Amino acid sequence: MTAARSTGRSLLTEFEAGLDAPICLTWELTYACNLACVHCLSSSGRRDPRELSTAEAMAIIDELERMQVFYVNIGGGEPTVRADFWDLIDYAVDHHVGVKFSTNGVRLDAAAAARIARTDYVDVQISLDGATAEINDAVRGAGSFDTALRAMDNLVEAGVTGFKVSVVMTRENVDQLDAFKRIADVRGAQLRLTRLRPSGRGADVWDDLHLLPGQQRQLYDWLVDHAEEVLTGDSFFHLSPFGQALPGLNLCGAGRVVCLIDPIGDVYACPFAIHDSFRAGNIRDAGGFTPIWKASPLFAQLREPQSGGLCSSCNFYDSCRGGCMAAKFFTGLPLDGPDPECVQGYGEQLLLGRQDSVRPKPGADHSRLLPLTVKQRGHLPVQACVEDPLAGFDPNAHAPLSA
């Protein structure tokens, strides 16, 4: 990670103005996935045939090494589906770029766990969205709870400690916070909680799954009580007006300290904002990633001093900074207005007067099936993690969305 320049400004001001390299670079290696989670941010399922090659992926790693990026978050889709996944992990570590990768655990068998155990600077996150199979599998697919626990136990048996159990918070699982922590604690792991965003397929289920006002307070109080034990990735800074600020930057880092590289090399300001409005360029363009990060017009705009906009008169603006850009965008709210889950209720008021037609459509849908809703729970995942772009997709099995 490149350190903030010494200019006499506060660290927060440095972050707002953007750093020489991203602190948190998310890289989705593939859209291929054996599951069909209803809230998937990238609408994953089928591999995109334009996916970056091994050589192109290694060239990105070379560039990140030159930029002194300390580590990269690798996801998907299911990243372990790529035939070159472990080769890319080894290449990154050998080139001084640490790796944190997220997986549903389907390919994390005893051999893979042993490989992780003997590799430095590799951290793994197992995704789990329910502390019971009933809650988890309704969102992630039948059998996914047992798959995740088996992967965790493989890590434990291999001697891996400190891996992460990653949970997206919903109104269905917020009462299971203590149970999630027990699942992590008994395995020597750490719990990581993230916010549900209305991005990708998440846009289809956000109205049904995002936390209700009382549940937001419930989550905030729990996070305050467990501040030193639980990671959040700065997901919940919009809750800070409840009282003391939660650990983290407490600001939107899009294009300032975070960004996303997708499987075909497109660079977006935020992992939760996969939409043309937030696309800054493509690493296949001349110069690769570096000029996009340092000089793209979009990132320059995001790094300009931000006014409070509609929130400027709110006494709590300095606490939440207006909330999450992606959450506002995909719910059709103005970017200079309140977060849709504003704890003062201002976002809820705007949502009531919003027309559904103003809600932007997420980016390309790579789902194997038609978009799923919460009411279509218990769907079976495709069993094989394969790279075929059309694996698991039967074009004759589904009617078109419109005539």
Side-chain angles (χ1 to χ4, degrees):
M1 179 184 72
T2 300
R5 296 173 294 277
S6 178
T7 62
R9 298 187 297 181
S10 71
L11 190 59
L12 181 61
T13 302
E14 293 282 357
F15 286 157
E16 288 182 311
L19 303 183
D20 291 335
I23 290 177
C24 182
L25 172 65
T26 297
W27 184 1
E28 294 181 343
L29 284 183
T30 184
Y31 287 123
C33 191
N34 62 304
L35 298 184
C37 302
V38 299
H39 57 17
C40 179
L41 293 168
S42 56
S43 299
S44 289
R46 291 174 290 121
R47 174 180 172 266
D48 192 306
R50 300 168 295 169
E51 193 172 278
L52 297 174
S53 68
T54 301
E56 288 174 315
M58 288 180 173
I60 292 176
I61 294 169
D62 291 339
E63 200 169 356
L64 299 181
E65 181 183 24
R66 290 193 295 271
M67 294 178 74
Q68 299 180 23
V69 171
F70 182 63
Y71 79 95
V72 61
N73 288 307
I74 287 180
E78 172 52 43
T80 61
V81 70
R82 279 191 59 136
D84 59 0
F85 173 74
W86 292 108
D87 293 332
L88 293 177
I89 297 297
D90 290 342
Y91 190 83
V93 172
D94 289 345
H95 287 76
H96 312 104
V97 179
V99 173
K100 178 183 294 183
F101 74 91
S102 298
T103 176
N104 58 43
V106 68
R107 286 193 166 184
L108 217 169
D109 57 14
R115 183 167 188 159
I116 293 170
R118 62 177 181 264
T119 306
D120 292 333
Y121 308 114
V122 173
D123 191 17
V124 58
Q125 293 185 163
I126 309 295
S127 297
L128 191 72
D129 291 326
T132 59
E134 178 184 11
I135 299 297
N136 179 83
D137 291 6
V139 171
R140 303 190 61 82
S144 57
F145 180 79
D146 290 339
T147 296
L149 291 190
R150 183 165 56 250
M152 293 180 205
D153 291 339
N154 286 338
L155 289 171
V156 172
E157 290 174 11
V160 179
T161 59
F163 62 89
K164 310 300 185 292
V165 178
S166 183
V167 179
V168 176
M169 296 308 305
T170 70
R171 67 181 62 169
E172 301 289 342
N173 66 21
V174 69
D175 290 332
Q176 298 185 318
L177 285 164
D178 289 334
F180 281 125
K181 192 167 184 303
R182 284 194 296 272
I183 288 174
D185 287 348
V186 299
R187 293 171 172 83
Q190 188 171 22
L191 181 61
R192 183 178 188 271
L193 305 180
T194 59
R195 182 182 178 185
L196 174 70
R197 264 83 168 198
S199 308
R201 285 198 295 268
D204 298 323
V205 299
W206 188 82
D207 288 338
D208 294 318
L209 287 182
H210 79 91
L211 297 183
L212 299 172
Q215 293 174 325
Q216 291 200 96
R217 182 66 199 229
Q218 175 185 353
L219 173 61
Y220 172 81
D221 289 342
W222 193 90
L223 288 174
V224 169
D225 289 342
H226 298 83
E228 304 302 320
E229 308 164 89
V230 176
L231 300 175
T232 65
D234 210 27
S235 286
F236 302 105
F237 64 92
H238 68 294
L239 301 181
S240 293
F242 276 134
Q244 69 188 68
L246 297 171
L249 295 180
N250 284 302
L251 84 151
C252 174
R256 297 162 164 174
V257 297
V258 305
C259 70
L260 167 81
I261 300 175
D262 82 352
I264 64 172
D266 282 335
V267 179
Y268 294 90
C270 171
F272 310 112
I274 304 175
H275 188 276
D276 284 347
S277 297
F278 302 104
R279 181 183 176 277
N282 188 286
I283 62 95
R284 286 170 166 150
D285 297 336
F289 175 72
T290 304
I292 297 174
W293 176 258
K294 293 189 174 181
S296 78
L298 172 64
F299 287 180
Q301 178 184 355
L302 291 171
R303 292 164 187 168
E304 290 293 321
Q306 304 295 307
S307 68
L310 297 175
C311 296
S312 59
S313 61
C314 178
N315 293 332
F316 299 99
Y317 175 71
D318 287 341
S319 297
C320 72
R321 313 290 290 182
C324 173
M325 177 184 75
K328 289 185 277 191
F329 181 78
F330 285 116
T331 53
L333 299 187
L335 296 184
D336 66 348
D339 189 288
E341 294 181 288
C342 166
V343 301
Q344 300 300 311
Y346 298 128
E348 188 176 2
Q349 293 172 21
L350 288 179
L351 288 174
L352 290 174
R354 173 206 60 187
Q355 299 293 323
D356 281 343
S357 60
V358 306
R359 297 178 69 166
K361 297 295 183 183
D365 192 341
H366 305 275
S367 303
R368 297 177 187 275
L369 308 172
L370 292 176
L372 298 167
T373 68
V374 179
K375 297 179 179 60
Q376 294 171 294
R377 294 177 174 185
H379 56 282
L380 292 173
V382 176
Q383 295 303 313
C385 265
V386 293
E387 292 190 272
D388 180 354
L390 297 179
F393 179 70
D394 180 358
N396 299 314
H398 306 286
L401 289 175
S402 59

